[in-house]
């Protein structure tokens, strides 16, 4: 088949790779001049399947009210007249119960674990390099009540057979020696030794080069205007350079996906939730993190990427904007400086923001639509890097008429009916 993929972020490029490997003719279209120049550009860098957890959880509405008024707030809400924002918030709050949390986390971990395995396979087969490390992830708790509340998460990890360690302060420092220089309270941590890290931008560009060598056509710097429909099929993609046709179409446009499919009668509950990051050059190796640390109090991830530290996090619900407020940078600098003082030179840090495509249940939308040749691979939220290879392998199997290696019935858009 000739398959047209819309979007050249990590999801679009990994999908292109797996579909090409399955023997299809693949075309990728993106308005940016290169791959991974939006949400995939400077994310936190963690590949953490075990920490794949829904934002919608029991107690979140109460916690959210507290977060909104913190000095270094992990959640920022900028209300506006936006029906899509209101619908998304109501649906997300509707998932804030124990039953839905368990269901959503279970399927997220299932896809994320599979994705990590596929990434390991891909790396072994191709030798792709992207500042990768396989030294685990540490979720650090500054307060005892945070540590006491991990039972619901460890229960899911046990059920899925995911290895984990519950650590005290000394154990956290043993895992991340740079913490020894911090004078902050550390109640303990939850460590997943099987997690990985890596630069998503480097990975996506390296894989795009390999995909192009394998025959994938990349039409970059080309603006997508609309999908053309006849009956129950899409017949083409109208762009600023003409119409591109194929046998099947895959939408992997992140937060921009709903706008493209809405005229076709598809309501895709994906909304942009803004995140921020700084990338800091390391100046003292001994004080720097060795892998990824999740600062639970501020919802910030601190990741070692070669000779740099990537600090990313926060959730800002404000629609489509990419401004860079000083207050958000201050939060990232505070988290890094309080836990790894002297590790990096923040005066030389680059500051970035990206729009994460979030669903109300935090699970991506991967699968078919009511149109016979239109497919979706989007809505991965903060876990696009973690879930990219698994989602791409799944969609390649399904679009090829086969059966995926994991359960996929609860990943498609039809679950929202």
């Amino acid at each position: 088949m000739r398959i047209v993929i819309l979007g050249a972020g990590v999801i679009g490029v990994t999908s292109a790779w797996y579909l090409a490997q399955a023997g299809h003719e693949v075309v990728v279209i993106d308005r940016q001049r290169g791959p991974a120049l939006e949400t995939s550009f400077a994310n936190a860098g963690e590949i953490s399947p075990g920490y794949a957890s829904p934002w919608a959880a029991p107690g979140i509405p109460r916690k959210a009210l507290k977060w909104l008024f913190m000095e270094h707030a992990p959640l920022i809400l900028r209300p506006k007249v936006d029906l899509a924002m209101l619908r998304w918030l109501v649906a997300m709050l509707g998932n804030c119960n124990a039953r839905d949390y368990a269901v959503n986390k279970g399927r997220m971990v299932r896809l994320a674990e599979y994705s990590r395995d596929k990434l390991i396979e891909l790396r072994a087969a191709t030798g792709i390099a992207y500042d990768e490390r396989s030294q685990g992830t540490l979720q650090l708790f500054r307060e005892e009540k945070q540590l006491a509340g991990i039972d619901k998460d460890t229960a899911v990890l046990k059920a899925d057979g995911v290895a984990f360690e519950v650590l005290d302060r000394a154990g956290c420092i043993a895992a991340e020696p740079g913490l020894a220089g911090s004078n902050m309270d550390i109640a303990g941590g939850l460590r997943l030794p099987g997690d990985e890290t890596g630069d998503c931008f480097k990975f996506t560009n390296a894989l795009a080069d390999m995909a192009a060598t394998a025959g994938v056509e990349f039409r970059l710097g080309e603006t997508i205007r609309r999908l053309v429909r006849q009956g129950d099929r899409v017949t083409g993609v109208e762009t600023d350079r003409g119409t591109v046709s194929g046998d099947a179409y895959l939408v992997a446009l992140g937060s921009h996906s709903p706008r493209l499919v809405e005229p076709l009668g598809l309501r895709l509950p994906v909304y942009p939730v803004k995140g921020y990051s700084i990338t800091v050059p390391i100046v003292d190796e001994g004080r720097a993190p060795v892998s990824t640390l999740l600062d639970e109090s501020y919802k910030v991830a601190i990741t070692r990427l070669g000779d740099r530290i990537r600090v990313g996090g926060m959730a800002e619900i404000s629609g489509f904007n990419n401004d860079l407020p000083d207050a958000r940078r201050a939060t990232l600098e505070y988290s890094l400086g309080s836990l790894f003082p002297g590790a990096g030179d923040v005066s030389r840090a680059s500051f970035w923001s990206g729009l994460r495509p979030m669903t109300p249940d935090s699970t991506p939308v991967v699968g078919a639509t009511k149109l016979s040749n239109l497919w979706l691979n989007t809505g991965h939220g903060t876990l696009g890097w973690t879930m990219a290879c698994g989602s791409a392998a799944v969609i390649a199997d399904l679009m090829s008429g086969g059966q995926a290696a994991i359960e996929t019935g609860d990943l498609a858009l039809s679950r929202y009916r």
Side-chain angles (χ1 to χ4, degrees):
M1 282 194 301
R2 176 178 166 87
I3 298 175
V4 181
I5 298 176
L6 310 180
V10 68
I11 301 300
V13 170
T14 50
S15 298
W17 171 259
Y18 281 96
L19 284 163
Q21 293 299 298
H24 300 290
E25 178 188 351
V26 180
V27 180
V28 180
I29 307 174
D30 196 290
R31 65 186 174 86
Q32 293 289 355
R33 67 185 184 279
L37 287 176
E38 295 196 19
T39 305
S40 302
F41 180 71
N43 63 19
E46 59 184 296
I47 303 168
S48 302
Y51 294 117
S53 298
W55 285 23
I60 283 295
R62 175 178 51 81
K63 290 180 182 178
L65 290 174
K66 174 187 173 183
W67 290 336
L68 288 171
F69 298 100
M70 287 173 57
E71 178 184 359
H72 296 294
L75 174 66
I76 304 98
L77 176 62
R78 296 183 183 177
K80 56 190 295 186
V81 180
D82 184 345
L83 184 56
M85 177 192 287
L86 179 60
R87 278 201 203 107
W88 186 87
L89 285 169
V90 169
M92 193 272 286
L93 291 172
N95 278 272
C96 291
N97 60 79
R99 182 185 66 82
D100 287 333
Y101 179 87
V103 170
N104 294 334
K105 183 173 177 67
R107 62 190 178 192
M108 291 172 71
V109 170
R110 180 207 318 150
L111 179 57
E113 286 283 321
Y114 175 62
S115 188
R116 196 235 355 249
D117 294 343
K118 296 303 289 185
L119 175 59
I120 292 171
E121 286 180 12
L122 175 63
R123 190 168 62 236
T126 65
I128 189 170
Y130 47 93
D131 284 340
E132 69 280 358
R133 290 189 171 211
S134 302
Q135 294 177 251
T137 300
L138 173 65
Q139 184 177 15
L140 183 136
F141 306 111
R142 296 175 184 249
E143 303 174 24
E144 288 288 346
K145 64 181 180 181
Q146 294 171 332
L147 183 62
I150 66 173
D151 290 348
K152 66 181 185 301
D153 291 326
T154 56
V156 175
L157 296 175
K158 287 179 183 177
D160 289 335
V162 180
F164 67 89
E165 303 165 343
V166 179
L167 306 176
D168 58 11
R169 178 186 173 91
C172 291
I173 293 174
E176 284 287 356
L179 291 171
S182 173
N183 60 7
M184 294 290 105
D185 290 334
I186 298 175
L190 174 63
R191 181 171 180 267
L192 273 58
D195 283 0
E196 300 192 8
T197 60
D199 188 319
C200 183
F201 175 77
K202 285 188 175 182
F203 170 86
T204 306
N205 277 269
L207 190 62
D209 288 343
M210 290 192 295
T213 300
V216 174
E217 178 188 355
F218 285 89
R219 300 176 61 131
L220 302 174
E222 186 165 353
T223 300
I224 299 163
R225 289 177 173 165
R226 70 184 184 100
L227 292 172
V228 181
R229 174 183 179 177
Q230 288 185 1
D232 73 339
R233 294 179 58 82
V234 172
T235 58
V237 182
E238 184 183 297
T239 77
D240 60 347
R241 298 182 191 172
T243 299
V244 182
S245 299
D247 302 304
Y249 302 82
L250 176 64
V251 177
L253 286 169
S255 298
H256 300 281
S257 301
R259 292 178 174 177
L260 186 68
V261 302
E262 187 177 13
L264 305 179
L266 300 177
R267 178 174 290 178
L268 177 59
V270 171
Y271 194 79
V273 176
K274 190 178 179 185
Y276 296 89
S277 76
I278 54 173
T279 304
V280 185
I282 293 173
V283 295
D284 189 332
E285 292 268 348
R287 294 175 178 266
V290 297
S291 189
T292 290
L293 179 144
L294 305 178
D295 186 349
E296 178 64 19
S297 293
Y298 302 104
K299 306 297 183 184
V300 167
I302 303 171
T303 300
R304 174 72 169 267
L305 295 176
D307 59 358
R308 303 159 294 146
I309 304 171
R310 176 70 50 74
V311 189
M314 292 173 286
E316 179 176 304
I317 303 171
S318 58
F320 288 88
N321 79 78
N322 283 107
D323 60 350
L324 293 167
D326 290 340
R328 310 296 169 250
R329 178 169 182 152
T331 296
L332 300 172
E333 291 183 359
Y334 174 77
S335 180
L336 175 64
S338 64
L339 296 175
F340 296 98
D345 184 356
V346 295
S347 69
R348 292 191 287 140
S350 58
F351 186 26
W352 172 88
S353 70
L355 301 176
R356 309 179 186 110
M358 291 290 301
T359 62
D361 54 18
S362 299
T363 307
V365 179
V366 184
T369 71
K370 66 181 183 180
L371 300 184
S372 61
N373 65 339
L374 180 66
W375 301 75
L376 300 172
N377 192 3
T378 187
H380 295 74
T382 59
L383 297 170
W385 182 203
T386 295
M387 294 181 171
C389 287
S391 299
V394 162
I395 205 69
D397 286 339
L398 296 177
M399 293 184 74
S400 300
Q403 185 172 353
I406 61 170
E407 172 59 41
T408 61
D410 53 358
L411 301 179
L413 182 61
S414 57
R415 75 176 184 266
Y416 292 110
R417 290 177 184 167

